[in-house]
Amino acid sequence: MAGQFAGILRVAVPAEAYDELVDALQGLSAQGIRVLIAESGVEQSCTWKPIAMELVGNGNDRPGIVRDITRLLAEQGVNLERLVTEVRPAPMSSEPLFHAEAILAVPLTLSLEVLQARLETLADDLMVELVLRSEP
């Protein structure tokens, strides 16, 4: 881009370190680096827990699996932090299988049991296997 680079970085620091971080970032202007701080990104406290999700289904079965899962997650207030998908052959039959691994940011107010039940109902409809587990 005409010798220019733009990037977005999201960081989380304890509230007591916020001012020090902002000062250090703004000090980068001496090296010609322009930093914009998005105040809307300031979170007072962690209100979510990380949950890992794994999903396996028939790769040729039907389109829209990711769309349907992410729609349900959004309806529950769950944020999709990371998603990796691929279609690879099954070990014995070489039939294509759809695999998805995700890290979810689940609101503390949503129990894992409730989320699991809602996802399992959808997984049954989609004919996929779905596993949730708490991340350390």
Side-chain angles (χ1 to χ4, degrees), residues 51-58 65-66 68-70 72-73 80 83 98-102 104 112-133:
I51 300 294
M53 180 181 76
E54 295 178 29
L55 182 141
V56 178
N58 185 328
I65 291 173
V66 172
D68 293 344
I69 294 286
T70 55
L72 185 142
L73 293 172
L80 187 61
L83 175 65
F98 173 77
H99 290 259
E101 294 181 7
L104 311 176
L112 189 54
E113 293 78 20
V114 168
L115 180 60
Q116 179 88 33
R118 291 187 176 139
L119 283 169
E120 283 176 355
T121 299
L122 181 58
D124 289 346
D125 292 344
L126 297 174
M127 295 184 293
V128 297
E129 293 179 35
L130 188 130
V131 176
L132 293 180
R133 68 176 186 281

Side-chain angles (χ1 to χ4, degrees), residues 51-115:
I51 300 294
M53 180 181 76
E54 295 178 29
L55 182 141
V56 178
N58 185 328
N60 289 327
D61 194 32
R62 70 189 256 324
I65 291 173
V66 172
R67 177 200 61 221
D68 293 344
I69 294 286
T70 55
R71 181 182 302 142
L72 185 142
L73 293 172
E75 289 170 356
Q76 302 304 309
V78 175
N79 191 34
L80 187 61
E81 295 287 309
R82 183 180 74 206
L83 175 65
V84 177
T85 65
E86 66 179 331
V87 175
R88 58 183 184 232
M92 301 297 276
S93 67
S94 293
E95 176 184 349
L97 291 178
F98 173 77
H99 290 259
E101 294 181 7
I103 300 295
L104 311 176
V106 178
L108 293 176
T109 56
L110 178 61
S111 77
L112 189 54
E113 293 78 20
V114 168
L115 180 60

Side-chain angles (χ1 to χ4, degrees), residues 29 36 42 66 93 135:
S29 64
L36 300 174
V42 175
V66 172
S93 67
E135 282 289 284

Side-chain angles (χ1 to χ4, degrees), residues 5-25:
F5 173 80
I8 296 174
L9 176 67
R10 181 179 179 190
V11 296
V13 297
E16 59 272 10
Y18 177 78
D19 291 333
E20 183 180 346
L21 175 64
V22 169
D23 290 343
L25 289 172

